[in-house]
């Protein structure tokens, strides 16, 4: 297959899953379909997938629960698919670790485009190798954090914190550009890229997730600060 990428489709509506399967396979992807939310955890432990297409409303266990459970265990894009259109559902999904969000009914061609965009972005992030030098050190220290640039690890004190690719890339960008204010639009373009299908509100959600991991009090952040009306700044 041209893409040689494997997509896990988690969808209880057989008609929808068949459409997703048909369009993705015609685009060169390999697919696996699950109809029960309770099956996901066991399957991802045994099989490798490059992306998960996750329906929100599932029998047994919903998409929110699944995303929360697997996010730190699989470092791949998770796209939530749902009939809901309210922005609060989108923010909630992104807030627990989803990378993107598409609402039913959707154009199958748009779905394939979203899948491709997320896979391309993850590949770009994995390929970014920062050479060790005085300007881009192997280790960056920020307060009680140690960010290991080339090995993609973060420690708070002696405890390692798990970061998905996109969160790590965002934290690393801030750490390598401390004390500078960046707007949401600038961060979106830098981390997600011009060709990514999404919006800059995604930045806010990812910053909140980072704060939950690195701040002593995420409601009163000292490291990753909001500069009202301007953007965000990492204080070093």
């Amino acid at each position: 297959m041209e893409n040689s990428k494997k997509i896990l489709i988690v969808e209880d509506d057989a008609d929808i899953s068949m459409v997703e399967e048909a369009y993705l396979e015609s685009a060169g992807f390999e697919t696996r379909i699950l109809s029960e939310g309770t099956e996901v955890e066991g399957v991802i432990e045994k099989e490798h997938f490059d992306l998960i297409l996750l329906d929100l409303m599932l029998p047994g266990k919903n998409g929110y629960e699944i995303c929360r459970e697997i996010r730190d265990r699989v470092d791949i894009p998770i796209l939530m698919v749902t009939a809901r259109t309210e922005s609060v559902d989108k923010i909630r999904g992104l807030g627990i670790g989803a990378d993107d969000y598409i609402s039913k009914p959707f154009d199958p061609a748009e779905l394939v485009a979203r899948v491709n965009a997320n896979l391309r972005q993850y590949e770009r992030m994995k390929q970014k190798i920062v050479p060790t030098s005085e300007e881009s050190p192997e280790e960056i220290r920020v307060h009680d954090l140690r960010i290991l640039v080339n090995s993609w690890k973060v420690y708070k004190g002696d405890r390692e914190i798990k970061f998905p690719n996109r969160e790590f890339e965002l934290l690393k960008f801030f750490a390598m550009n401390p004390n500078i204010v960046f707007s949401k639009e600038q961060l979106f373009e830098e981390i997600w890229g011009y060709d990514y299908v999404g919006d800059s509100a995604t930045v806010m959600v990812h910053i909140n997730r980072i704060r939950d991991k690195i701040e002593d009090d995420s409601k009163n952040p000292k490291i990753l600060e909001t500069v009202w009306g301007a953007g965000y700044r990492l204080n070093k």
Side-chain angles (χ1 to χ4, degrees):
M1 289 188 178
E2 180 184 347
N3 288 290
S4 66
K5 301 287 187 183
K6 189 172 182 180
I7 311 297
L8 176 61
I9 298 170
V10 188
E11 171 62 67
D12 64 318
D13 186 317
D15 291 335
I16 293 176
S17 63
M18 286 174 61
V19 169
E20 293 171 340
E21 178 187 43
Y23 273 81
L24 289 170
E25 292 197 348
S26 69
F29 296 104
E30 182 182 351
T31 62
R32 166 84 186 269
I33 297 174
L34 296 178
S35 58
E36 292 280 345
T38 52
E39 298 175 326
V40 176
E41 199 168 358
V43 169
I44 64 169
E45 287 179 352
K46 298 175 182 176
E47 299 181 42
H48 169 76
F49 297 96
D50 296 285
L51 181 144
I52 299 175
L53 199 56
L54 181 61
D55 186 41
L56 182 59
M57 305 306 294
L58 292 163
K61 187 180 289 187
N62 66 40
Y64 292 134
E65 293 175 280
I66 295 167
C67 188
R68 188 180 295 109
E69 289 174 359
I70 68 174
R71 175 67 283 177
D72 290 333
R73 297 169 57 186
V74 290
D75 193 10
I76 59 175
I78 299 175
L79 272 67
M80 279 196 167
V81 182
T82 177
R84 300 185 181 184
T85 57
E86 293 87 348
S87 60
V88 65
D89 292 311
K90 176 180 178 180
I91 296 299
R92 184 183 175 192
L94 294 171
I96 58 176
D99 293 275
D100 204 353
Y101 186 104
I102 187 166
S103 298
K104 303 173 187 174
F106 53 81
D107 179 349
E110 181 190 357
L111 176 66
V112 172
R114 291 283 186 99
V115 167
N116 277 316
N118 277 273
L119 287 170
R120 282 197 305 271
Q121 181 61 15
Y122 258 63
E123 286 300 315
R124 279 200 296 267
M125 287 190 291
K126 286 182 177 179
Q127 290 168 7
K128 285 184 179 178
I129 300 175
V130 181
T132 302
S133 68
E134 291 184 0
E135 294 183 355
S136 53
E138 159 61 18
E139 179 176 301
I140 304 174
R141 289 181 176 266
V142 181
H143 297 257
D144 62 344
L145 298 176
R146 289 189 300 126
I147 303 165
L148 306 184
V149 173
N150 294 332
S151 54
W152 290 66
K153 292 185 176 182
V154 179
Y155 290 88
K156 184 173 176 65
D158 296 326
R159 177 174 58 92
E160 183 178 357
I161 309 170
K162 296 294 184 183
F163 274 79
N165 271 352
R166 202 161 277 142
E167 288 178 30
F168 180 86
E169 189 72 15
L170 186 56
L171 176 62
K172 182 182 76 173
F173 177 76
F174 273 116
M176 295 181 71
N177 298 278
N179 308 316
I180 299 173
V181 177
F182 294 98
S183 69
K184 286 190 294 184
E185 291 74 21
Q186 287 174 313
L187 294 168
F188 185 81
E189 291 169 4
E190 175 67 30
I191 305 302
W192 280 262
Y194 287 100
D195 64 339
Y196 185 79
V197 183
D199 59 70
S200 59
T202 304
V203 174
M204 176 193 70
V205 177
H206 281 74
I207 284 177
N208 287 339
R209 283 180 55 80
I210 293 172
R211 283 173 172 162
D212 286 340
K213 297 177 180 181
I214 69 173
E215 299 281 359
D216 293 330
D217 178 4
S218 61
K219 302 299 182 185
N220 185 28
K222 302 297 184 184
I223 302 173
L224 197 49
E225 183 181 13
T226 298
V227 180
W228 296 108
Y232 302 94
R233 173 181 61 214
L234 183 135
N235 296 316
K236 187 174 181 182

